[in-house]
Amino acid sequence: MPNPTTIYLDWNRPLLPAISNRLLASTGGICIDLSSDLVIVPTVQSGRRLREALALAAGDRGLLPPQIVTPDVLLEQAIQGQPIASEESVTAAWVSVLAKIDCSRFKALFPIVPEQHINWQLGMAQRLMQLRNELGEEGLDFALAAQRIGASGHEPERWRELAQLEALYLDQLETRKLKDPKLARRTAAQHYRTPAPIKRIILAATPDPQALPLQALDQAAKTTPVEVWVYGPEQASFDPWGRPLAEHWSQRALAFEAWDCTLKPVATTKVTATWITAALQDAAPESVLLGLADPRLNPIIIDAFKQAQIPCYDPEGQSLHLGGVGRLTELLCQACEDPNTSTIRTLLQHPDVQAWLNIPHNGTACLEQLDRLFEDHLAADLATLIQFAARQPCHARLYNALVELQQRVATLTDTRNFPVALAQALQTIYANKQIQPSAPAGIPWQEGAEVIRTRLVHATEALRLFPDLSNTLIRSAFHHSLRHSRVYPDRPPGAHNLLGWLELLWNDAPHLILVGLNEGIVPESVIGDAFLPEALRAQLGLRTNAQRFARDAYLIEALCRRRAGRSGQIDILIPQFAPDHSPLKPSRLLFQGSPDSVVRRTRQLFQDSEAPVAAIKYHAAWKLSPPADLKLPASLPVSAFKSYLQCPFRFFLRHILQMRPVDVDTRELNPTAFGSLLHDILAKLKQQKLDRHCDQATLIKKLRRIAEQTLKHRYGNQLSFALRLQHEALIARIIAFCERQVEDIAAKGSCIILNTEECFEIPLNGMTVKGRIDRIDQRGEGLELIDYKTGNQASTPEKAHLAVVASKAPPDHLPKTALFEHANKMYRWTDLQLPLYSLAKQENGMQRPSLAYFNLSQTLEKSGLVRWEAFTDAHLASAKACACAIIEKIQAGVFWPPSQTIHQAYDEFAPLFPDGIEHSVDAEAFMNYAFNSSTSIHA
């Protein structure tokens, strides 16, 4: 059999001109005719660059270009027109097999007999498909692998059982007159015939082709000249197909110093993005080659480029399910699988759903109502949301939207033909959407819609061929394929390409920036594969870790040596931490050198980066500024003073902008909601007289009955498991309350609960202070104001309101009147709640009310009444002065500086400022904010 002709290209010179010039030199005349050449290149991107290079080199001469394909496309063309099973049909065939087999007969494969539910069937089908894909790269399947393994000791019985399953799977396809795509490609490779117009085949600078395309070229060489153009040295370092030999390249030293490479360790991926952005700010795209070996870097670099207004293009495309019509389609699939509040909320945020449901103002009002429904009732799913939305007429628009969504989801869930139902749902939603095909926004929408349409066609075909499959499985399989689908937007003018590791060889830009040469990424390593360990991969002839190492060592040298010295510039950036902050190690390839160079590189690569993690300062592309002309609040809640004393900036967010976190994923009451529930139950004791005749058991029974009724009304009849646990915690607190209350009556005498949840307003320094007192008791001639505390730790009023001022200065944001000297100690106010309660209920000539906490902990030991015995008129006067000073600061617009003492774990606004408040906020705007004084609003 004729061997391919090997031609070596000078790898000290740029690759693209070498290939294009050699192609053009093979023809002459006014018109350059290369149409009889078939050129195989490693990637689609390299094919695009070769076409551009040929067009530029041809100049004014006419050009009939060669056919340029990747190795994979070579075989795809060979099987065109055959009844090849789609991915959906392949999945359906495997699921049909797995649903019918007796797993106990496959003990080597399933030593523990699994429960053969739908999720297991789909997951196992996808794992077996992945395994066949790995084997298929070398033209193998389970049957051939089982034959080669034989009695080698690599679990031959297990592979025989895999081959039996594979035979059943192939029978499923053959019964339906479909061909397995892997077997079809293998057959096409074994019987490959060169297409009629082609007279020469060139495998150009492709160091890592798969075995099947090479098998096809081996067949083609019988009738057609096949040339292998190797971009590398002419020593015995490549096999006949231009693949780097592991025994040569694993020992070859990489001379980074001789190539003038700059090896630069960088602290984090953010620092990496900042460095790259600065390097490319004014650089022309053709002058810089940016290679991202670690795909996790792509979104970080893209965000940095967007902020710096640097156009970029990712040839790998974008995941379809992350935006637009793809995102909406995925949300519909999620709603069918689990119509939880989080998914429904995200659906209602989608602009296309809002347009379909006629939700005005970007859906703000409906989303606020939805959040309120969830918080008030823990409505965890769509049906429960509808149940509680129906109770309130003000939620009519939200109710109608939820009912419409429920009907659509029910149709998708209950139908026997999910693909058709989903297509109809999308047609309904987009019935009134105007798509402009020529508009920039219209092209991506059309591309996404076309991918979805193709997937639906394949899913419909799978359902027709496998009618026994459940709707749930078809939907899950479609959802899985949707998440793996990608769209490819047009390349913006003047964009920098974000190229992956294997794309770099075909770009000749003089400045190479190579990022992400970390161990496990380059070279890529397969470790701990349950089916294909390294020894078995070598036995089966699959690509091994050693071969990947050789390929990557060759690529690094090919990329660097032609840019050495005056020919270019090479910067290799090695992040020390991944995007998830896990530590990273430099690649083994960076230590491939002489002993002296390895010592120097080790010191260089493991030194501290120029910007240690702790010292990194991030600069956002924009800084948060307050909205202009906000109206000064005419009133403040009592809780606002504690907020301002804690941090004036966070006070602005919480009480001026009314910002609050929303969590629609929790299934239990948060501490605030749990406390409010207990408050509401105890509020039913209003006008109750508590004396020595008060029976503890009767009191417990009464409050327990109220608790059961309140829970049922607020959260429905079917409580979640978390709510049932909290119900028990609630009852435990009620029992502890009753016991401690009876004990207090015995010790302090009887009382009358005059009022509960009593609201009050007091004027203070030009502003109205509002509050609500949990409980007001009449004890003899005096009043006692009680605040319920539902935390697990017992609290005392004095420690909750006053903190001892230590030797270091108090926080900068505190007014001077926040300091209070008492009993020869200096304190600072941290809360003004109880003093303001006292101020509100103090009457001329009457005894000042006493103050107390009623701790309602889950255990009896930490429950009980704790009175503020040491509270005096001096406390009251100081607290009032502090409140007036805070009001003055609010009126003057002073909301800076933020407190530095709040731990991130307890800061509800921390997710908004991942790089710190100081780096994200316009400090000047919050130091002297100018309110619109024409009108005031009530906070």
Side-chain angles (χ1 to χ4, degrees):
M1 182 179 295
N3 290 322
T5 302
T6 303
I7 297 172
Y8 291 93
L9 306 176
D10 185 357
W11 69 337
N12 294 303
R13 298 179 179 276
L15 172 63
L16 264 178
I19 291 181
S20 59
N21 291 338
R22 191 173 187 89
L23 284 170
L24 295 174
S26 63
T27 185
I30 299 176
C31 181
I32 302 172
D33 186 3
L34 297 174
S35 59
S36 61
D37 286 342
L38 175 63
V39 182
I40 302 172
V41 296
T43 64
V44 174
Q45 181 73 2
S46 56
R48 183 185 69 81
R49 293 191 61 82
L50 179 57
R51 291 186 186 90
E52 292 175 351
L54 287 172
L56 289 173
D60 296 333
R61 301 164 66 189
L63 173 66
L64 294 175
Q67 292 188 36
I68 302 176
V69 298
T70 63
D72 195 56
V73 171
L74 178 75
L75 291 180
E76 289 296 329
Q77 292 177 344
I79 62 176
Q80 279 184 352
Q82 298 183 29
I84 305 299
S86 66
E87 178 185 344
E88 287 78 3
S89 292
V90 168
T91 303
W94 273 113
V95 168
S96 295
V97 170
L98 294 169
K100 297 175 183 177
I101 63 170
D102 180 1
C103 289
S104 63
R105 294 177 53 200
F106 296 84
K107 293 184 178 179
L109 192 56
F110 307 116
I112 299 176
V113 177
E115 183 181 347
Q116 291 171 260
H117 50 70
I118 289 176
N119 289 336
W120 176 86
Q121 294 165 12
L122 183 59
M124 181 55 65
Q126 290 165 353
R127 181 65 184 94
L128 294 176
M129 291 164 62
Q130 179 188 357
L131 181 59
R132 289 189 83 245
N133 287 341
E134 294 180 58
L135 293 170
E137 293 178 1
E138 304 299 322
L140 300 177
D141 56 13
F142 293 165
L144 285 177
Q147 291 175 15
R148 292 191 184 183
I149 290 170
S152 65
H154 287 292
E155 302 181 296
E157 183 60 31
R158 191 184 191 199
W159 283 93
R160 280 194 290 270
E161 291 181 1
L162 283 172
Q164 294 175 31
L165 287 182
E166 183 181 58
L168 297 173
Y169 152 75
L170 293 174
D171 285 343
Q172 291 284 338
L173 293 184
E174 185 177 356
T175 301
R176 293 159 177 85
K177 299 181 180 180
L178 292 176
K179 291 187 176 182
D180 172 64
K182 301 303 173 188
L183 290 184
R185 288 165 61 87
R186 187 173 76 189
T187 303
Q190 292 171 344
H191 302 90
Y192 186 81
R193 293 293 180 267
T194 306
I198 302 302
K199 297 181 180 178
R200 180 177 61 160
I201 300 176
I202 301 167
L203 180 63
T206 303
D208 193 28
Q210 296 177 0
L212 273 184
L214 296 184
Q215 191 173 358
L217 294 182
D218 205 29
Q219 290 294 316
K222 296 178 180 179
T223 57
T224 308
V226 175
E227 299 178 4
V228 178
W229 293 5
V230 178
Y231 187 59
E234 296 188 19
Q235 311 115 291
S237 52
F238 298 91
D239 71 5
W241 294 110
R243 294 178 292 190
L245 295 173
E247 56 269 21
H248 174 85
W249 291 95
S250 61
Q251 304 299 323
R252 185 180 178 95
L254 297 177
F256 294 112
E257 294 78 11
W259 302 327
D260 295 327
C261 296
T262 300
L263 303 181
K264 186 179 182 63
V266 287
T268 66
T269 51
K270 284 192 174 183
V271 178
T272 305
T274 302
W275 193 98
I276 294 171
T277 302
L280 270 62
Q281 187 68 59
D282 299 316
E286 62 272 11
S287 67
V288 182
L289 168 59
L290 175 59
L292 304 177
D294 187 349
R296 293 177 298 178
L297 294 170
N298 286 44
I300 298 171
I301 303 298
I302 290 172
D303 286 345
F305 280 10
K306 285 181 179 178
Q307 293 174 6
Q309 297 183 336
I310 299 175
C312 63
Y313 176 70
D314 186 355
E316 292 298 315
Q318 301 173 358
S319 295
L320 174 62
H321 72 282
L322 294 181
V325 64
R327 178 61 173 156
L328 173 58
T329 305
E330 190 198 28
L331 287 171
L332 290 174
C333 292
Q334 289 180 357
C336 293
E337 295 166 4
D338 181 13
N340 59 63
T341 302
S342 180
T343 300
I344 299 305
R345 191 181 195 281
T346 309
L347 262 172
L348 290 177
Q349 286 178 309
H350 198 290
D352 296 335
V353 172
Q354 292 177 358
W356 167 51
L357 296 175
N358 295 316
I359 298 176
H361 307 301
N362 296 323
T364 302
C366 277
L367 291 175
E368 288 177 351
Q369 292 174 359
L370 186 73
D371 294 340
R372 181 60 62 189
L373 278 180
F374 180 81
E375 290 182 340
D376 290 346
H377 307 289
L378 278 188
D381 54 38
L382 181 54
T384 313
L385 285 169
I386 291 173
Q387 173 190 343
F388 287 110
R391 291 182 180 180
Q392 304 181 41
C394 61
H395 292 165
R397 187 184 293 275
L398 174 63
Y399 172 79
N400 293 333
L402 294 176
V403 169
E404 186 68 34
L405 280 178
Q406 185 185 49
Q407 292 173 351
R408 191 59 54 189
V409 170
T411 301
L412 293 173
T413 306
D414 299 336
T415 182
R416 272 295 301 140
N417 195 325
F418 172 78
V420 171
L422 179 58
Q424 291 173 346
L426 292 173
Q427 288 172 355
T428 301
I429 293 171
Y430 288 104
N432 297 319
K433 185 177 180 68
Q434 298 295 321
I435 305 297
Q436 299 294 333
S438 58
I443 297 174
W445 190 93
Q446 286 184 303
E447 291 178 349
E450 181 59 29
V451 173
I452 292 171
R453 188 195 68 81
T454 301
R455 290 295 187 190
L456 288 173
V457 169
H458 290 165
T460 302
E461 181 70 7
L463 186 59
R464 182 184 64 82
L465 294 170
F466 298 87
D468 293 339
L469 294 182
S470 69
N471 186 53
T472 300
L473 194 139
I474 289 293
R475 183 180 66 244
S476 299
F478 170 82
H479 192 186
H480 179 268
S481 65
L482 178 72
R483 293 185 65 86
H484 289 81
S485 299
R486 304 186 74 84
V487 289
Y488 300 89
D490 292 336
R491 185 175 184 270
H496 287 272
N497 291 320
L498 307 182
L499 299 179
W501 175 237
L502 299 179
E503 299 272 7
L504 302 177
L505 197 61
W506 286 71
N507 190 303
D508 298 321
H511 184 187
L512 170 65
I513 300 177
L514 191 55
V515 189
L517 286 189
N518 294 104
E519 188 60 26
I521 300 170
V522 175
E524 179 189 5
S525 299
V526 178
I527 301 174
D529 190 295
F531 285 98
L532 294 171
E534 184 70 2
L536 182 56
R537 298 180 75 89
Q539 180 182 343
L540 293 174
L542 301 179
R543 187 186 294 112
T544 63
N545 289 337
Q547 290 170 326
R548 291 188 183 91
F549 184 95
R551 176 200 67 192
D552 293 343
Y554 156 73
L555 285 174
I556 283 185
E557 182 164 355
L559 289 168
C560 292
R561 68 180 301 119
R562 73 185 191 222
R563 295 176 172 87
R566 297 181 180 178
S567 300
Q569 176 183 346
I570 306 165
D571 292 303
I572 301 178
L573 277 61
I574 305 99
Q576 296 174 327
F577 291 89
D580 62 358
H581 306 297
S582 59
L584 295 173
K585 295 185 293 185
S587 168
R588 284 173 290 156
L589 290 167
L590 298 174
F591 303 97
Q592 192 82 353
S594 64
D596 291 341
S597 65
V598 168
V599 172
R600 288 195 300 272
R601 291 180 203 171
T602 302
R603 289 173 177 166
Q604 182 178 3
L605 292 171
F606 285 97
Q607 68 181 346
D608 290 336
S609 61
E610 294 180 5
V613 175
I616 294 172
K617 293 184 178 180
Y618 301 121
H619 300 281
W622 55 271
K623 289 196 173 184
L624 177 68
S625 296
D629 294 331
L630 286 174
K631 296 174 182 178
L632 177 68
S635 61
L636 285 176
V638 169
S639 60
F641 294 96
K642 178 180 180 180
S643 179
Y644 193 96
L645 288 167
Q646 187 180 47
C647 174
F649 175 73
R650 293 175 177 86
F651 164 89
F652 185 90
L653 300 182
R654 185 179 297 113
H655 294 284
I656 304 299
L657 293 182
Q658 302 293 314
M659 293 175 63
R660 59 186 180 89
V662 175
D663 179 11
V664 294
D665 293 320
T666 185
R667 293 295 177 266
E668 63 182 6
L669 297 172
N670 60 40
T672 301
F674 184 84
S676 296
L677 175 63
L678 187 52
H679 280 56
D680 292 345
I681 293 169
L682 296 180
K684 301 299 183 181
L685 295 177
K686 180 179 178 180
Q687 300 298 321
Q688 181 89 26
K689 183 177 181 180
L690 302 175
D691 55 22
R692 296 182 187 276
H693 300 291
C694 181
D695 179 61
Q696 179 178 323
T698 303
L699 189 60
I700 292 174
K701 183 177 180 181
K702 175 181 179 178
L703 290 176
R704 188 164 194 159
R705 184 179 68 255
I706 294 172
E708 303 291 351
Q709 293 172 347
T710 305
L711 277 170
K712 182 177 180 181
H713 175 76
R714 193 169 295 181
Y715 303 111
N717 295 324
Q718 299 297 323
L719 299 183
S720 66
F721 177 73
L723 269 179
R724 292 199 298 272
L725 290 178
Q726 289 187 306
H727 167 259
E728 296 303 319
L730 184 72
I731 299 303
R733 280 173 166 81
I734 289 174
I735 293 172
F737 164 80
C738 294
E739 185 167 343
R740 290 305 190 201
Q741 182 65 75
V742 171
E743 289 176 358
D744 186 73
I745 294 169
K748 297 290 185 178
S750 63
C751 68
I752 299 174
I753 301 178
L754 293 178
N755 204 357
T756 57
E757 304 298 321
E758 178 176 294
C759 296
F760 67 84
E761 294 184 3
I762 52 174
L764 202 61
N765 208 17
M767 193 172 282
T768 300
V769 176
K770 296 181 176 182
R772 186 170 60 183
I773 304 173
D774 292 342
R775 173 173 153 183
I776 303 174
D777 283 5
Q778 176 76 52
R779 282 189 179 272
E781 298 298 322
L783 296 180
E784 185 169 52
L785 312 181
I786 299 174
D787 192 60
Y788 292 129
K789 294 297 177 185
T790 55
N792 284 324
Q793 298 300 321
S795 179
T796 67
E798 188 166 7
K799 289 184 178 180
H801 287 74
L802 291 167
V804 176
V805 176
S807 56
K808 69 176 185 178
D812 295 338
H813 67 271
L814 292 179
K816 292 181 179 179
T817 52
L819 302 179
F820 172 53
E821 186 175 0
H822 178 66
N824 297 321
K825 282 189 178 181
M826 185 63 70
Y827 299 88
R828 63 180 177 89
W829 289 102
T830 57
D831 194 357
L832 302 176
Q833 182 187 26
L834 287 185
L836 291 177
Y837 284 1
S838 179
L839 187 65
K841 297 302 293 182
Q842 190 172 24
E843 299 180 11
N844 292 332
M846 300 295 291
Q847 179 182 345
R848 175 171 44 80
S850 59
L851 305 173
Y853 276 172
F854 203 133
N855 290 311
L856 301 171
S857 299
Q858 192 166 355
T859 61
L860 183 63
E861 293 77 12
K862 295 179 180 180
S863 299
L865 272 159
V866 182
R867 293 177 171 86
W868 196 344
E869 304 287 2
F871 188 80
T872 65
D873 289 339
H875 286 82
L876 184 60
S878 176
K880 181 178 179 181
C882 180
C884 290
I886 290 173
I887 290 173
E888 287 179 4
K889 281 182 169 286
I890 294 170
Q891 292 167 336
V894 179
F895 303 107
W896 200 263
S899 173
Q900 303 296 330
T901 62
I902 301 176
H903 193 280
Q904 184 175 359
Y906 303 104
D907 182 8
E908 62 185 0
F909 297 109
L912 300 179
F913 309 106
D915 298 331
I917 293 175
E918 292 78 4
H919 304 128
S920 309
V921 171
D922 182 1
E924 187 66 31
F926 288 94
M927 287 180 181
N928 296 285
Y929 180 78
F931 284 103
N932 183 345
S933 59
S934 60
T935 310
S936 296
I937 61 170
H938 291 279

